[in-house]
Every structure is written in C-alpha cells, then in structure tokens.
Amino acid sequence: MARTPSNMLPLGTKAPFFKLPDTNGNTLVTLKSAKGKNGTVIMFICNHCPFVIHVNKELVAIANTYHKKGIGFIAISSNDAINYPQDGPENMKLHAKNEQYPFPYLYDESQEVAKAYDAACTPDIYVFDKDLKLVYRGQLDDSRPGNGKPVTGNDLRHALDCLLENKENTTVQKPSIGCNIKWKS
C-alpha cells in the first residue's frame, strides 16, 4: 500500500466552494449547505483504502460527538471510479450505509474539488472555523495499519476542542499518511 502524505494546505486558507452529489441521499450538497455553525471538517476518503478502513469507526464517533457541538462533517471521494470501480457512487452509497456515516459522502467525479483543496491522500482531513478559514489539516492521530498504536482521533479531537474553546492550537500539525488519491489519466 502506498504511503502518501498530505500536502498541508496553508493555515488561514478559505475553504474552496463546491457543489457535489451526495451518494447517501442523491441530492446536491454545497459547502454552504453542509457547513457547521461552529466549524466544518472536510475529509477526503474512499471505500477501499486500508488507511481509511483503519480509522472509519473513529471518524464516525468523532462526527457523532462533535456534530452536537455545531461542527459540520463532510466526506468526499475523488478517486477515479473508472479504474477503481469499488470507489464509484453506488459502492459509496453502500459503504456509507454499512459504516453508518452520519455525514454526507460526496462524489467528486471531476476531481476539481480535491485539486482545489490540494488533497493528496485518503484520509486527508481539514478543519475550518465558522468563517471557513483553515485552522487544522493533517492526521487523525498517530495510528496506521499495522503500527500497533490505538486509533484515538487525538489530533483531530484536539484541533476541534481548540476551535470550540477559541484557543490557538499550538500542537504541531502532522501530515496525514494514506493511499494517494487515484487521479484520472
């Protein structure tokens, strides 16, 4: 499995706009319609990546906890579904149901949204404040498939707690590591 790091979009970057189909409900979702009152987490994920599979339960737990605190969660898959059909919209819908995703799971067929966010891997996680300015990007925690460290979500939880408490996050933000986004040729 490839080990691709995230690109670490500069802090303070304004969240790029998008309008994408939600494979959960067959509706179009925009950044504005899905953002949270107090902040927004945007995650680039996919169905088959071992790194995403490794953290899925924790992503769901964090979303369920922090959604109650006014944080919106949005998952986006930008993988090429022609060469990776397991990541196509129908399979995304089944995957979201099986994993009990409490957030929209959007399909970025053109890959323009991934490019706008400078996303590189799955999972690639971004946290934006209520004004949609980037305050965190990087890993969920130090756990990776096979490294023996427990999946805790500590890095993302800390970033969200800092955001909600209006405190500066002075912790070093480490890049996420995962499978590269499967770009179209």
Side-chain angles (χ1 to χ4, degrees):
M1 83 185 114
R3 296 178 64 86
T4 301
S6 49
N7 288 325
M8 304 301 278
L9 192 65
L11 295 174
T13 298
K14 186 86 169 172
F17 175 81
F18 57 78
K19 182 178 186 178
L20 295 170
D22 181 5
T23 59
N24 286 327
N26 296 318
T27 59
L28 287 176
V29 172
T30 65
L31 173 61
K32 185 177 178 182
S33 71
K35 77 181 196 90
K37 180 178 83 169
N38 296 320
T40 305
V41 175
I42 296 176
M43 308 170 284
F44 288 86
I45 64 173
C46 71
N47 298 346
H48 82 279
C49 172
F51 293 90
V52 176
I53 292 167
H54 183 70
V55 300
N56 260 328
K57 285 185 181 24
E58 187 62 20
L59 292 175
V60 169
I62 291 171
N64 284 328
T65 298
Y66 285 89
H67 183 73
K68 297 172 190 161
K69 299 176 181 186
I71 303 294
F73 286 78
I74 303 161
I76 301 171
S77 178
S78 299
N79 278 358
D80 173 10
I82 301 297
N83 291 309
Y84 298 87
Q86 66 269 44
D87 289 332
E90 284 305 313
N91 287 324
M92 289 171 63
K93 183 175 186 171
L94 292 171
H95 184 77
K97 182 179 179 184
N98 290 339
E99 294 296 328
Q100 299 179 326
Y101 284 171
F103 40 75
Y105 191 16
L106 310 180
Y107 181 47
D108 177 22
E109 182 177 15
S110 72
Q111 302 184 318
E112 290 303 314
V113 177
K115 290 174 185 171
Y117 281 80
D118 201 20
C121 62
T122 57
D124 217 344
I125 301 170
Y126 303 81
V127 178
F128 295 90
D129 66 14
K130 64 181 180 183
D131 298 318
L132 294 174
K133 289 190 179 156
L134 186 66
V135 296
Y136 178 82
R137 74 286 193 246
Q139 68 177 13
L140 182 73
D141 57 34
D142 289 324
S143 183
R144 304 288 184 265
N147 76 357
K149 295 181 181 182
V151 179
T152 62
N154 284 346
D155 291 54
L156 179 56
R157 288 177 186 277
H158 178 72
L160 292 171
D161 290 341
C162 286
L163 175 63
L164 291 168
E165 295 166 14
N166 203 27
K167 293 187 335 191
E168 183 181 357
N169 182 356
T170 57
T171 304
V172 173
Q173 297 185 20
K174 299 175 188 175
S176 185
I177 301 288
C179 298
N180 63 301
I181 289 178
K182 307 306 183 225
W183 301 105
K184 294 178 180 182
S185 301

